[in-house]
Amino acid sequence: MINWKDFDLYIFDFDGTISDTGVGIIQALSKALSEHNIHVTAEQLQPFIGPPVAQSLHKYLGLTDQHFIDQIVARYRQVYYEDGCADISAMYPGMKELLEDLHKKGKKLAIASLKPMRGLNYLSEKYGIKDLFSAICGPNEHEIPNTKDGVLDLVFQTLPKERSVMIGDSSFDVDGAHVHGIPCIAVHYGFGLAHALSHAEGQAKSVQELRQLIL
């Protein structure tokens, strides 16, 4: 049995793990898509929370014209930041205290997210947690890297992989961790589907359960 308290580096996903960003993402996507004559429901946009937007436009809406996809992504980002959609978010209750307490205990913390760096920097600073992390890694404005194992590569350029664990709410987190040979704790309070998280070594239904596991 894994003792989750014994790890030195805790790597957190962002959307659906640290912060509930779903409403703002869906609002911005809905507006960007409708302006391009694509009308979808909020339920249809749920899978877009987490993965790169361009990737999701192809996977879930079948779009193939890269120029058209780029136009939608650019408009989405504009709406997300300039119309205040990024601010329609909040940290999950108890998460800030968990991060602070891990930091006080001498644990290293990192963020590995498929949310672009602009959003990660903006929200982590807004929440007052940016200085708790030894590394904050995500895609650039061109959505590179566009896989979770690629983002973890960035983390491990500056922090040791040994005695590290990934914490996230989607199969991307579990699979990315396993590519690197590290375990993953799947959290079930985010946006991921339970059946897609069953291959994670650890499970937490709430922030409180996560706290009990790792602290």
Side-chain angles (χ1 to χ4, degrees):
M1 178 179 283
I2 297 174
N3 185 344
W4 299 106
K5 296 175 173 63
D6 282 348
F7 288 83
D8 297 327
L9 172 61
Y10 294 86
I11 308 167
F12 288 79
D13 177 45
F14 195 83
D15 294 332
T17 301
I18 289 176
S19 177
D20 184 354
T21 51
V23 173
I25 290 172
I26 287 173
Q27 282 190 13
L29 272 170
S30 182
K31 184 172 182 178
L33 287 167
S34 65
E35 289 177 359
H36 288 82
N37 295 312
I38 300 174
H39 303 284
V40 292
T41 65
E43 185 178 358
Q44 286 174 290
L45 292 177
Q46 195 75 15
F48 282 68
I49 303 168
V53 175
Q55 194 179 102
S56 295
L57 288 170
H58 173 69
K59 180 177 181 179
Y60 299 113
L61 298 183
L63 301 185
T64 56
D65 185 322
Q66 192 59 51
H67 179 65
F68 187 53
I69 289 173
D70 290 344
Q71 286 181 320
I72 295 172
V73 171
R75 180 56 179 148
Y76 158 72
R77 289 178 180 162
Q78 184 180 28
V79 172
Y80 186 69
Y81 294 107
E82 296 179 13
D83 289 13
C85 294
D87 294 311
I88 308 173
S89 67
M91 294 184 73
Y92 289 103
M95 178 54 68
K96 186 172 186 179
E97 293 79 6
L98 173 58
L99 296 172
E100 289 173 338
D101 290 344
L102 284 168
H103 188 262
K104 289 175 186 174
K105 200 174 179 182
K107 301 295 186 179
K108 293 287 187 184
L109 304 177
I111 292 174
S113 172
L114 288 170
K115 192 180 195 70
M117 284 301 300
R118 180 181 177 185
L120 294 177
N121 284 327
Y122 174 75
L123 288 175
S124 61
E125 194 163 325
K126 176 189 172 185
Y127 296 154
I129 60 172
K130 190 172 184 179
D131 292 342
L132 299 176
F133 294 94
S134 299
I136 297 178
C137 299
N140 61 23
E141 65 273 18
H142 303 296
E143 297 195 343
I144 298 171
N146 64 359
T147 63
K148 184 54 66 93
D149 57 285
V151 175
L152 284 168
D153 282 335
L154 299 179
V155 173
F156 296 134
Q157 284 177 13
T158 57
L159 295 170
K161 185 186 295 188
E162 292 74 24
R163 304 193 64 75
S164 65
V165 57
M166 181 75 212
I167 299 167
D169 72 310
S170 78
S171 60
F172 295 102
D173 301 304
V174 185
D175 296 339
H178 290 172
V179 167
H180 282 275
I182 65 172
C184 182
I185 299 173
V187 299
H188 293 260
Y189 54 80
F191 306 113
L193 300 173
H195 67 80
L197 302 172
S198 59
H199 56 310
E201 290 81 358
Q203 308 285 333
K205 294 180 181 178
S206 65
V207 175
Q208 184 58 36
E209 277 194 19
L210 179 62
R211 183 183 181 89
Q212 290 170 354
L213 274 181
I214 66 178
L215 195 64

